[in-house]
Amino acid sequence: MTVWVGTSWKMNKSLAESRDYARGLLAGLATREAGMVQPFVIPPATAIAAVAEILAEDGRVLLGAQNAHWEDSGAWTGELSVPQVADAGARMVEIGHSERREHFGETDETARRKVAATLRHDLIPLLCIGEPTGVKDAGGSTDFILEQAARALDGLGEEQLARVMIAYEPIWAIGEHGRPATVDELEKPFAALGQEYGGRIAGLLYGGSVGLDNAAALLGIQHVDGLFVGRTAWDLKGYLRLIDIAAGR
Ligand code: PGA
């Protein structure tokens, strides 16, 4: 069974830093067995093409984009389409991260359109879902995330669903103001997601304050197929260490 370990760099890294990371990643992977781990890296859009060129030498690392529009082209100033990010070398599109929902007005409906566009062009949609603190405190986490996923995946057939990845990232656990979720807190939501999507999608990931200290425990939760990581993996050493943890080394 594949264990996914991916990172989005968010709005970080220059071109030179991105190239260094990609080269270092290939060098680090060259000394490791392929095993079951599938690494993926999601740089800022400015660096996708440069990173793609380097990663192409190996082919083991999947490359993604942090966002893409649902239309293929047109008068959408500031946006990038799925064909454009694919042209730059992306094979995956991150969709509906909570930061995009909070600051850029993304909704379940825009997520649905982006998932459909990504599938139409044969890229992998990585749909992010997660509840805010208030919903968690009221005991509504599971209903909230099931609803978010259902809305964004509405209308897909089983063959399309099989190409979708979902990252459950509770908003209260993300970023420097987040608090790491405990295994106890995650068991129920993953049981519910597993019941709905287990065996039907390409992978179900956990994200939010993943660190070197909690990665193994998080990977041990039933229905967790991998980790989606921010801060800990922005540093290449941290990312390689997470890959080792996922490989059981
Ligand atoms: P973090 O970010 O690992 O820095 O908490 C996770 C995410 O936003 O996907």
Side-chain angles (χ1 to χ4, degrees), residues 10 97 99 169 173-175 207-210 228-231:
K10 304 193 181 182
H97 188 280
E99 288 153 14
E169 306 199 303
I174 292 178
S209 293
V210 172
F228 188 31
V229 190
R231 289 156 298 154

Side-chain angles (χ1 to χ4, degrees), residues 158-218:
E158 288 300 313
E159 181 277 329
Q160 292 170 306
L161 202 54
R163 293 187 278 136
V164 170
M165 300 195 54
I166 296 178
Y168 170 43
E169 306 199 303
I171 296 173
W172 45 270
I174 292 178
E176 56 184 313
H177 304 297
R179 144 180 101 67
T182 65
V183 168
D184 267 8
E185 288 174 311
L186 296 175
E187 270 169 350
K188 248 205 205 152
F190 272 104
L193 288 167
Q195 194 176 0
E196 184 66 29
Y197 296 107
R200 298 173 72 203
I201 61 172
L204 179 57
L205 313 185
Y206 171 74
S209 293
V210 172
L212 302 181
D213 50 340
N214 63 359
L218 293 167

Side-chain angles (χ1 to χ4, degrees), residues 15 19 43-55 63 85 87-90:
L15 267 180
R19 287 194 183 102
T46 48
I48 295 172
V51 170
E53 219 166 273
I54 294 167
L55 295 184
L63 183 62
V85 299
D87 187 38

Side-chain angles (χ1 to χ4, degrees), residues 57-90:
E57 292 163 22
D58 177 294
R60 264 164 79 180
V61 184
L62 200 60
L63 183 62
Q66 295 178 21
N67 179 35
H69 197 267
W70 57 85
E71 293 289 345
D72 289 358
S73 62
W76 298 95
T77 299
E79 290 291 313
L80 297 169
S81 68
V82 177
Q84 285 177 314
V85 299
D87 187 38

Side-chain angles (χ1 to χ4, degrees), residues 224-238:
V224 171
D225 301 319
L227 302 172
F228 188 31
V229 190
R231 289 156 298 154
T232 302
W234 294 345
D235 163 44
L236 178 61
K237 277 200 199 98

